[in-house]
């Protein structure tokens, strides 16, 4: 659809309506005494084959990318903060924590980097966050058990730029303070993605692992701890695991599952923009039609004020609407809901009562039935809980016909 504007006034002997005399729809405004001002016309200029080809291409590329469910931690907008994730991790690593999962996290972590033969049941653990180093740094998490001193440098988004040598030497000095201390130092860099450390100089002492590898061990071992686990903390555990997984996917820019989508929009950008523009023009046409209906019915409904709005979210919501909000007195006197709406959509025309809530919609329907006012459908539709009074799936219906129906139904519900 391509829009053009008239800069003239046309006189027509016919009733106020959309005229198709020239082979395309023209919209006229009644200015009195059988005079009609031509507001403009919309001339068909669609290259249907071009858009059909676009739709064909669209249907052929994969659409199986799942919409990732947002987790509670993501809603709080804190999972990107390393300190927050470190605190959660430290809690689960504490074998005596109220979570009831004992050494699930500790065992899984050690299994990820070394042979699990060194593990013993019911190990005493002490977990410290932000442990100070000799050169003024901070170790994200330090775990001391009967057998190990475990250093964890936790990385979410940032690369590994820390002085890992300082971390290691600090814990070596801690170990030397006690001559009898034979505990094994296990230094770990734990990151969301391998990209966090691929382009940095690695420390030879540290083990480099990802959350994916570590949490897969947690999930594999979880069954052995179900009986003692606190049910509420199991929910938090699942949320934490899903959050780390989502962060990993978020960081994989340009991964294969989106390449087809990127390629499709890149190659067809011009046609897609044209299609979006055509849709905008169509919506403008709908708004003008609705405006014409409102002007037609104004004098016949005692100058009641109808407001016009449009929804252009997507094809499903491609509507223009005129609505009259009932006063408190009108709503109190009759159970007719919040508003009376005239809707122009892709399927044609609709007239509805906006009930506002589901309970109100039930009351509105009962009142309509009691007063023998017919309704289009028993179904209550939309989040505003609309009660449909009438619909017509005829895009050729003229303004006067719609206005006549709108006035008739309005008088029935407001009498």
């Amino acid at each position: 659809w391509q829009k053009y504007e008239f800069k003239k006034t046309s006189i027509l002997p016919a009733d106020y309506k959309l005229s198709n005399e020239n082979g395309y729809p023209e919209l006229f405004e009644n200015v009195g005494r059988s005079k009609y001002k031509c507001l403009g016309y919309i001339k068909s200029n669609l290259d249907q084959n071009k858009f059909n080809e676009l739709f064909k291409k669209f249907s052929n590329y994969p659409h199986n990318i799942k919409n990732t469910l947002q987790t509670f931690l993501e809603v709080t907008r804190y999972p990107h903060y390393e300190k927050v994730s470190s605190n959660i991790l430290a809690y689960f690593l504490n074998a005596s924590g109220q979570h009831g999962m004992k050494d699930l996290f500790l065992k899984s972590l050690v299994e990820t980097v070394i042979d699990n033969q060194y593990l013993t049941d019911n190990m005493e653990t002490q977990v410290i966050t932000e442990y100070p180093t000799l050169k003024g740094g901070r170790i994200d998490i330090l775990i001391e058990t009967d057998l190990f001193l475990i250093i964890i440098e936790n990385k979410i988004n940032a690369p590994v730029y820390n002085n890992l040598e300082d971390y290691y030497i600090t814990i070596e000095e801690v170990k030397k303070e006690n001559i009898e201390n034979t505990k094994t130092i296990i230094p770990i860099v734990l990151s969301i993605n391998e990209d966090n450390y691929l382009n940095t100089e690695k420390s030879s002492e540290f083990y480099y692992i990802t959350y994916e590898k570590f949490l897969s061990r947690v999930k594999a071992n979880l069954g052995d701890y179900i009986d003692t686990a606190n049910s509420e903390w199991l929910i938090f555990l699942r949320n934490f695991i899903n959050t780390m997984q989502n962060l990993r996917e978020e960081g994989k820019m340009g991964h294969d599952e989106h390449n087809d989508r990127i390629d499709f929009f890149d190659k067809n950008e011009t046609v897609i923009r044209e299609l979006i523009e055509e849709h905008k023009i169509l919506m403008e046409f709908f708004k003008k039609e609705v405006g014409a209906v409102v002007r037609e019915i104004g004098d016949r409904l005692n100058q009641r004020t109808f407001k016009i709005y449009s929804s252009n979210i997507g094809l499903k919501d491609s509507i223009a609407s005129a609505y009259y909000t009932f006063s408190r007195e009108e709503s109190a006197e009759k159970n007719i809901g919040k508003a009376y709406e005239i809707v122009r959509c892709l399927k044609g025309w609709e007239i509805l009562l906006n009930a506002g809530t589901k309970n109100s919609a039930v009351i509105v329907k009962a009142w309509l039935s009691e007063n023998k006012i017919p309704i289009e459908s028993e179904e209550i539709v939309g989040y505003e809980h609309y009660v449909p009074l009438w619909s017509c799936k005829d895009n050729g219906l003229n303004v006067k016909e719609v206005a006549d129906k709108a006035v008739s139904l309005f008088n029935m519900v407001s009498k």
Side-chain angles (χ1 to χ4, degrees):
W1 298 79
Q2 187 172 349
K3 184 175 71 172
Y4 297 85
E5 295 294 337
F6 267 117
K7 294 182 180 179
K8 65 178 183 178
T9 298
S10 299
I11 307 298
L12 292 182
D15 290 334
Y16 182 83
K17 63 181 179 179
L18 289 173
S19 172
N20 289 281
E21 293 178 2
N22 296 317
Y24 43 81
E26 292 179 281
L27 183 64
F28 292 89
E29 179 182 7
N30 187 343
V31 293
R33 296 184 180 180
S34 300
K35 294 183 179 180
Y36 294 81
K37 180 181 178 182
C38 185
L39 300 177
Y41 69 91
I42 297 179
K43 180 180 178 181
S44 180
N45 193 32
L46 282 176
D47 185 348
Q48 191 66 46
N49 291 331
K50 177 170 58 178
F51 292 128
N52 284 340
E53 185 64 27
L54 176 69
F55 301 145
K56 183 178 179 181
K57 290 178 183 177
F58 182 76
S59 64
N60 287 336
Y61 91 88
H63 295 77
N64 58 353
I65 300 174
K66 64 180 181 180
N67 185 21
T68 303
L69 182 66
Q70 197 174 30
T71 68
F72 178 77
L73 283 173
E74 288 175 304
V75 171
T76 66
R77 301 183 182 179
Y78 281 109
H80 292 82
Y81 292 85
E82 289 175 358
K83 188 173 181 179
V84 173
S85 60
S86 293
N87 289 339
I88 296 172
L89 192 58
Y91 177 77
F92 283 119
L93 283 165
N94 184 356
S96 59
Q98 293 181 344
H99 51 71
M101 298 173 217
K102 300 183 179 179
D103 64 351
L104 167 63
F105 264 63
L106 182 61
K107 177 182 178 181
S108 301
L109 181 66
V110 174
E111 284 181 348
T112 305
V113 295
I114 64 174
D115 196 316
N116 64 7
Q117 66 177 332
Y118 298 102
L119 292 173
T120 60
D121 293 334
N122 302 317
M123 284 192 297
E124 292 292 328
T125 60
Q126 181 182 8
V127 183
I128 306 170
T129 58
E130 299 289 308
Y131 188 87
T133 68
L134 296 174
K135 293 187 176 181
R138 295 279 177 177
I139 296 173
D140 289 333
I141 303 173
L142 176 64
I143 309 166
E144 185 172 5
T145 74
D146 300 337
L147 301 175
F148 307 114
L149 287 163
I150 302 174
I151 303 168
I152 299 178
E153 175 58 25
N154 184 32
K155 287 297 175 187
I156 301 300
N157 286 328
V160 183
Y161 55 81
N162 311 69
N163 188 345
L164 298 180
E165 183 181 1
D166 173 38
Y167 294 6
Y168 192 83
I169 292 173
T170 297
I171 303 308
E172 274 194 325
E173 291 299 317
V174 170
K175 182 178 177 181
K176 289 177 182 177
E177 290 175 2
N178 185 348
I179 299 176
E180 297 179 357
N181 192 335
T182 59
K183 297 178 181 180
T184 302
I185 298 177
I186 305 178
I188 298 170
V189 172
L190 177 63
S191 63
I192 289 292
N193 286 302
E194 293 177 349
D195 294 344
N196 295 111
Y197 54 76
L198 279 181
N199 297 321
T200 58
E201 185 177 346
K202 290 186 179 181
S203 168
S204 58
E205 289 91 1
F206 275 72
Y207 296 94
Y208 291 77
I209 63 173
T210 61
Y211 267 96
E212 181 183 28
K213 190 174 182 181
F214 165 47
L215 293 177
S216 67
R217 291 302 312 158
V218 171
K219 289 188 284 186
N221 293 329
L222 181 58
D224 297 332
Y225 296 83
I226 288 293
D227 290 342
T228 60
N230 180 292
S231 58
E232 290 186 15
W233 277 105
L234 279 173
I235 296 173
F236 285 118
L237 171 59
R238 180 179 179 183
N239 197 276
F240 178 68
I241 290 174
N242 289 342
T243 300
M244 293 301 108
Q245 181 177 329
N246 288 353
L247 287 175
R248 175 178 175 272
E249 294 300 319
E250 182 182 292
K252 290 169 62 180
M253 298 300 291
H255 49 84
D256 292 342
E257 65 178 342
H258 282 287
N259 284 344
D260 288 330
R261 177 177 269 115
I262 294 169
D263 186 59
F264 172 80
F265 280 93
D266 179 45
K267 291 181 177 178
N268 299 284
E269 181 179 6
T270 301
V271 183
I272 292 170
R273 288 185 182 278
E274 288 179 20
L275 185 61
I276 293 171
E277 186 60 28
E278 301 295 351
H279 184 241
K280 289 180 180 178
I281 292 170
L282 181 62
M283 289 302 299
E284 286 299 314
F285 177 59
F286 281 180
K287 285 178 69 174
K288 285 186 175 182
E289 281 194 299
V290 170
V293 170
V294 170
R295 286 188 289 273
E296 173 70 19
I297 66 178
D299 292 337
R300 298 159 64 182
L301 292 178
N302 299 321
Q303 296 297 325
R304 283 184 169 89
T305 301
F306 279 77
K307 295 181 180 179
I308 299 174
Y309 80 96
S310 64
S311 173
N312 195 23
I313 300 171
L315 286 177
K316 183 179 178 183
D317 300 296
S318 297
I319 65 168
S321 170
Y323 66 95
Y324 169 76
T325 304
F326 295 115
S327 66
R328 289 186 178 181
E329 291 76 16
E330 288 173 309
S331 295
E333 184 181 349
K334 307 178 185 69
N335 295 313
I336 51 178
K338 292 167 52 180
Y340 181 86
E341 296 201 26
I342 305 163
V343 177
R344 177 65 164 105
C345 60
L346 293 173
K347 297 293 185 182
W349 293 87
E350 294 177 337
I351 297 177
L352 315 102
L353 286 177
N354 181 336
T357 67
K358 187 174 182 179
N359 288 339
S360 295
V362 173
I363 295 172
V364 169
K365 285 173 62 179
W367 183 87
L368 292 170
S369 175
E370 180 182 338
N371 287 273
K372 296 181 173 53
I373 300 174
I375 60 176
E376 176 72 18
S377 168
E378 290 292 329
E379 182 182 6
I380 299 171
V381 296
Y383 68 92
E384 288 282 7
H385 300 93
Y386 292 98
V387 178
L389 296 176
W390 171 82
S391 69
C392 180
K393 296 180 180 180
D394 180 1
N395 283 309
L397 205 63
N398 66 44
V399 167
K400 187 175 185 306
E401 290 173 306
V402 176
D404 288 345
K405 193 67 179 180
V407 170
S408 173
L409 285 170
F410 188 90
N411 287 333
M412 290 176 70
V413 299
S414 62
K415 65 181 178 181

